[in-house]
Amino acid sequence: MQIGIDSFVATDADPQTGKTVSPRQRVADLLEEIELADQVGLDVFGIGEHHREEYLDSAPAVLLSAAAARTQNITLTSAVTVLSAADPVRVFQQFATLDLVSQGRAEMVVGRGSFIESFPLFGLDLEDYDELFIEKLALLLELRDNIYVNWNGKHRPALTGQGVFPRPLQAPLPVWLGVGGTPQSFARAGRLGLPLMVAIIGGEPHRFRPLIDLYRQAGKDAGHDPATLKVGLHCLGYAAETDSEAADDFFPGYAQAFTAIGKERGWPPVTRSQFDALLGPTGALHVGSPETVVEKVLRQNQELGGIDRFSFQMSVASLPHAKLMKAIELLGTEVAPAIRKELATAP
């Protein structure tokens, strides 16, 4: 199992101190975090894509390219690229370039995103939400597999044999499909034979097993090798020396972020009791000591029929840079080795 980190490069104030850092400093901190993740042996680092004031990740390929120059081994990916609101040609060119800069360490996770600001920003109609994604995903995969493309669609000018350059070092450039909770998305990923990245931010992850089984069955029915049907989880998580320290560190920023989002979506404010319930063995938060985090990841690996990648989303909690760095160190030196050892010796 690969172990990684996803970041939205959040800039909200630290809820405990009220302090904020400048965008310049936050980006500098991010690059240090990715560099450390590489040094301690984590497998992958992902940058999200948002077009909101509280995040600095509107251009993930640019940030990842900066990180590529400072790292040696870690895979660099989006988490996710909001393909519905992007031009697939430009997305492919950006990540092909990243692949060359990183010497073959680029990937992308494509999805629809969880916010809608990009639609009016780029002159798109939200009513075309599904149609845009389906059409653009098909074009992206066509561009990945062919240098010269003949293609015609509804939402972009036709391609009539033009070449799309540069070409990536990897052939093919890895593309994962990021999904939330709709059966159609899981089945689509299976039919296309694409690796699946499941975003789980609440509830009980074991309830996703029927959807993951649907993905695997759809892939099998479409003739894809089961070994290529990889499953990843993107989950909220954080490690500290003890369970209580981790929970007390993570809760204030978590509550601040999800209460703010709740005001937009009609959710009630987040309470500590709700948070604590999600820390339990079946809950969606992977927050605790290294031992607790390892136990929970291994449990979900078993419940979901085997996981190929697990990515921790920590930036949502607006933690200070020093705490994020310590958590990355623990994930790389304690959590990841323990998980790898356990899986290597499992029957």
Side-chain angles (χ1 to χ4, degrees), residues 79-260:
V80 301
T81 295
V82 184
L83 190 60
S84 303
D87 181 352
V89 173
R90 294 298 290 144
V91 168
F92 180 81
Q93 290 174 325
Q94 289 162 6
F95 279 85
T97 302
L98 171 63
D99 201 46
L100 296 175
V101 173
S102 66
Q103 296 293 303
R105 293 185 284 126
E107 292 184 358
M108 69 176 86
V109 181
V110 300
R112 309 176 201 219
S114 58
F115 295 97
I116 61 172
E117 288 80 6
S118 56
F119 285 82
L121 182 64
F122 297 112
L124 301 169
D125 191 335
L126 191 58
E127 292 186 359
D128 296 329
Y129 184 83
D130 290 324
E131 192 175 79
L132 281 164
F133 182 74
I134 293 169
E135 179 177 296
K136 292 185 176 187
L137 177 60
L139 175 55
L140 178 68
L141 297 178
E142 186 76 13
L143 295 165
R144 182 181 70 160
D145 296 339
N146 299 281
I147 298 175
Y148 300 96
V149 174
N150 288 280
W151 177 89
N152 188 57
K154 179 179 177 182
H155 298 283
R156 189 199 185 282
L159 294 174
T160 56
Q162 295 95 330
V164 177
F165 304 101
R167 306 307 297 180
L169 184 62
Q170 300 177 86
L173 181 69
V175 175
W176 294 60
L177 189 61
V179 300
T182 63
Q184 296 89 340
S185 296
F186 284 79
R188 179 183 300 118
R191 289 194 300 271
L192 293 172
L194 296 177
L196 182 76
M197 180 59 66
V198 187
I200 303 178
I201 62 172
E204 297 182 325
H206 70 85
R207 295 183 177 177
F208 281 80
R209 178 62 184 266
L211 293 171
I212 292 173
D213 288 345
L214 173 64
Y215 160 72
R216 290 173 170 143
Q217 187 62 49
K220 181 180 179 181
D221 291 345
H224 298 294
D225 182 350
T228 68
L229 299 173
K230 298 179 180 180
V231 176
L233 299 185
H234 161 103
C235 297
L236 302 180
Y238 171 70
E241 295 290 353
T242 67
D243 288 346
S244 59
E245 179 186 352
D248 290 344
D249 284 350
F250 201 79
F251 172 71
Y254 167 86
Q256 174 179 267
F258 279 87
T259 296

Side-chain angles (χ1 to χ4, degrees), residues 198-346:
V198 187
I200 303 178
I201 62 172
E204 297 182 325
H206 70 85
R207 295 183 177 177
F208 281 80
R209 178 62 184 266
L211 293 171
I212 292 173
D213 288 345
L214 173 64
Y215 160 72
R216 290 173 170 143
Q217 187 62 49
K220 181 180 179 181
D221 291 345
H224 298 294
D225 182 350
T228 68
L229 299 173
K230 298 179 180 180
V231 176
L233 299 185
H234 161 103
C235 297
L236 302 180
Y238 171 70
E241 295 290 353
T242 67
D243 288 346
S244 59
E245 179 186 352
D248 290 344
D249 284 350
F250 201 79
F251 172 71
Y254 167 86
Q256 174 179 267
F258 279 87
T259 296
I261 294 171
K263 290 180 179 178
E264 299 178 12
R265 302 185 180 183
W267 303 342
V270 174
T271 67
R272 182 60 190 251
S273 62
Q274 292 170 334
F275 173 80
D276 288 342
L278 291 172
L279 296 178
T282 63
L285 295 181
H286 296 72
V287 175
S289 68
E291 295 79 12
T292 295
V293 171
V294 167
E295 182 179 351
K296 197 162 188 178
V297 172
L298 290 173
R299 176 190 180 114
Q300 292 181 357
N301 176 68
Q302 183 176 30
E303 291 175 341
L304 297 177
I307 298 302
D308 300 283
R309 177 179 293 179
F310 192 99
S311 290
F312 291 83
Q313 164 55 266
M314 298 188 288
S315 70
V316 70
S318 300
L319 293 157
H321 177 54
K323 288 188 179 293
L324 285 174
M325 293 288 277
K326 179 61 177 179
I328 292 168
E329 179 185 348
L330 291 173
L331 290 175
T333 61
E334 297 190 32
V335 172
I339 291 172
R340 292 169 186 148
K341 180 180 180 180
E342 181 67 25
L343 293 178
T345 58

